[in-house]
Amino acid sequence: MRRDATPRRYLMCPPAHFKVTYSINPWMDPTKPVDLPLALAQWEDLRDRYRSLGHTVEVLDPVPDLPDMVYAANGATVVDGRVLGARFAHPERAAEAEAHLAWFRAHGYTEIHEPAHINEGEGDFAVTASYVLSGRGFRSSPLSADEAQEFFGRPVIGLDLVDPRYYHLDTALSVLDGDEVMYFPEAFSPGSRAVLRRLFPDALIATERDAAVLGLNAVSDGRHVFLPQAATGLFEPLRERGFEPVGMDLGELLKGGGSVKCCTLELRD
Ligand code: ARG
């Protein structure tokens, strides 16, 4: 099958103030040192890779004392140019929501909704051709699904996450193209697994080994799939489907519990 990349616009935030000083997910160990210059170099690599493949990367200014801001995917969800702001579950990240809103206001977005319910942006919302998938269980409120459905006017499907290592939907499921996804079933409740099988019978099913290196924290432009390079088991199945895997090393940012997708907010204008 021939796969075509379409040019995308991404919003990213450099890890200038990145550190792991608190722990709000099982990946974060404040006693483990972070190599900041290396984190920056790895992030720049991802940004440059997007640009070299024809994508636009907008840059959000990092704010001191918001070390998790590098995970830009959590700050909003943009569909059809409509911006659903975030509301973070943990006080440590709360101020990121306003920094994102300010960026969107300054960049000409007019349809902006400040949410009533907790949602951590594209951490828990995944956009396919037909649906918005909405993760819940650890961060986003189940009520955020209805709020997103009303604002975007697209059917929103709630999915229950059950494994704390996969605390955001984007650590367990990734949209490849249209209504094609890859996911790790064990991260979901039995009922949600059945929903996923029904909606996506041809999905690429990831193994525990690839999920455990955050291999599902991937970004696709319809052809290239940018993903953690350690997720080697996903490369061949992606190629068989006509995709081109692009392995990235974001090892320093894994210490905060995120990788490629977490660092990338898609601007679907
Ligand atoms: N330390 C961050 C947190 O726990 C990591 C966020 C990762 N982002 C993501 N889209 N999964 O909130």
Side-chain angles (χ1 to χ4, degrees):
M1 176 169 185
R2 200 195 135 78
R3 299 284 181 176
D4 292 312
T6 49
R8 311 284 170 130
R9 262 182 92 218
Y10 299 128
L11 180 64
M12 296 178 71
C13 179
H17 309 291
F18 178 62
K19 49 192 175 198
V20 179
T21 48
Y22 52 81
S23 179
I24 56 174
N25 70 55
W27 302 83
M28 300 175 84
D29 178 355
T31 64
K32 251 200 216 161
V34 168
D35 182 336
L36 188 57
L38 182 57
L40 268 163
Q42 292 173 338
W43 179 91
E44 283 166 3
D45 239 27
L46 178 64
R47 178 201 60 195
D48 295 348
R49 193 62 72 92
Y50 286 144
R51 286 180 173 160
S52 74
L53 288 167
H55 304 302
T56 305
V57 177
E58 306 284 354
V59 176
L60 175 66
D61 288 334
V63 177
D65 298 323
L66 292 177
D68 274 338
M69 215 175 150
V70 60
Y71 306 110
N74 303 143
T77 306
V78 186
V79 181
D80 303 324
R82 296 169 69 77
V83 182
L84 175 61
R87 182 182 281 266
F88 286 84
H90 296 97
E92 292 91 339
R93 298 197 66 184
E96 294 180 40
E98 187 47 47
H100 272 80
L101 288 176
W103 187 90
F104 284 103
R105 286 192 205 103
H107 287 78
Y109 290 82
T110 52
E111 302 297 321
I112 300 180
H113 179 74
E114 293 189 40
H117 302 290
I118 289 173
N119 87 69
E120 296 202 345
E122 288 195 323
D124 278 324
F125 288 128
V127 183
T128 78
S130 307
Y131 313 103
V132 175
L133 308 177
S134 167
R136 59 197 184 196
F138 296 101
R139 300 288 179 87
S140 298
S141 160
L143 297 172
S144 70
D146 287 347
E147 194 170 17
Q149 176 163 289
E150 190 57 33
F151 182 62
F152 293 132
R154 295 200 182 196
V156 176
I157 312 284
L159 297 168
D160 293 300
L161 296 164
V162 296
D163 181 333
R165 285 175 303 165
Y166 309 110
Y167 56 94
H168 271 149
L169 181 64
D170 73 357
T171 61
L173 179 146
S174 170
V175 180
L176 296 171
D177 192 30
D179 281 322
E180 282 181 79
V181 302
M182 58 177 178
Y183 68 94
F184 176 53
E186 283 75 13
F188 297 91
S189 70
S192 293
R193 271 181 232 172
V195 169
L196 287 167
R197 278 198 300 274
R198 186 175 285 266
L199 292 181
F200 309 110
D202 302 321
L204 196 171
I205 301 298
T207 62
E208 158 95 63
R209 213 192 133 268
D210 293 315
V213 291
L214 285 193
L216 294 163
N217 199 243
V219 169
S220 174
D221 64 15
R223 176 181 176 88
H224 309 100
V225 179
F226 306 86
L227 78 173
Q229 65 180 18
T232 49
L234 289 172
F235 283 51
E236 216 24 61
L238 284 169
R239 284 196 193 101
E240 276 162 20
R241 286 161 193 253
F243 294 104
E244 226 180 279
V246 181
M248 302 299 311
D249 180 5
L250 290 178
E252 288 310 295
L253 296 169
L254 194 62
K255 295 175 181 170
S259 190
V260 175
K261 172 60 208 169
C262 299
C263 294
T264 313
L265 176 63
E266 183 161 355
L267 303 169
R268 297 181 195 79
D269 294 331

